[in-house]
Amino acid sequence: VQLQASGGGLVQIGGSLRLSCAASGSEINDMGWYRQTPAKARELVANITSGGVGGYGDPVKGRFTIYRDNVQNTVYLQMDGLKPEDTGVYYCYVRYMRYVGQPDGSVRPYENLYWGPGTLVTVSS
């Protein structure tokens, strides 16, 4: 499984960028983005369930929007109102889930998590 991320770059304060991350395969569960900034350890930016329900880290609520295209297996992160503290490397992830029936009649879930290459976002003053 390979993830292809794109959309990072240099932008001025208050500007916008859109990140995208395309995945291969099927049985994709949730998708999302983390970031690594100079000031913090890796933190959740946003994630989205297979049903399209998004969740956001507190620093980006109200400014970022996550959405996905289940046909193209692509997750997008629309970033508006960018601030210098948003500067960092953004990593997408994709979680695959499959459920396998067991001899006893139960169903066992199998999970695989994949990370995309980081994409650098720089917000300058």
Side-chain angles (χ1 to χ4, degrees):
V1 174
Q2 288 188 329
L3 306 185
Q4 294 182 318
S6 62
L10 175 65
V11 65
Q12 291 186 329
I13 294 174
S16 298
L17 284 174
R18 189 181 77 161
L19 306 182
S20 65
C21 179
S24 60
S26 59
E27 299 175 314
I28 293 175
N29 195 2
D30 58 298
M31 310 172 81
W33 297 87
Y34 278 73
R35 69 184 180 187
Q36 181 80 52
T37 66
K40 296 182 180 179
R42 188 175 291 194
E43 63 176 352
L44 173 69
V45 178
N47 57 15
I48 186 167
T49 67
S50 56
V53 178
Y56 299 90
D58 287 341
V60 307
K61 286 181 180 177
R63 298 187 295 123
F64 291 10
T65 303
I66 189 170
Y67 57 100
R68 63 191 282 174
D69 181 333
N70 289 332
V71 174
Q72 299 294 327
N73 289 341
T74 301
V75 60
Y76 300 92
L77 184 68
Q78 177 66 42
M79 306 185 292
D80 299 315
L82 283 162
K83 304 176 180 179
E85 51 264 42
D86 295 318
T87 294
V89 180
Y90 286 67
Y91 300 89
C92 66
Y93 78 88
V94 174
R95 191 188 320 272
Y96 293 80
M97 290 287 290
R98 62 188 182 95
Y99 299 87
V100 179
Q102 302 300 302
D104 64 0
S106 64
V107 177
R108 178 179 175 181
Y110 290 84
E111 173 183 309
N112 287 290
L113 184 66
Y114 294 92
W115 292 91
T119 184
L120 179 62
V121 172
T122 304
V123 184
S124 67
S125 57

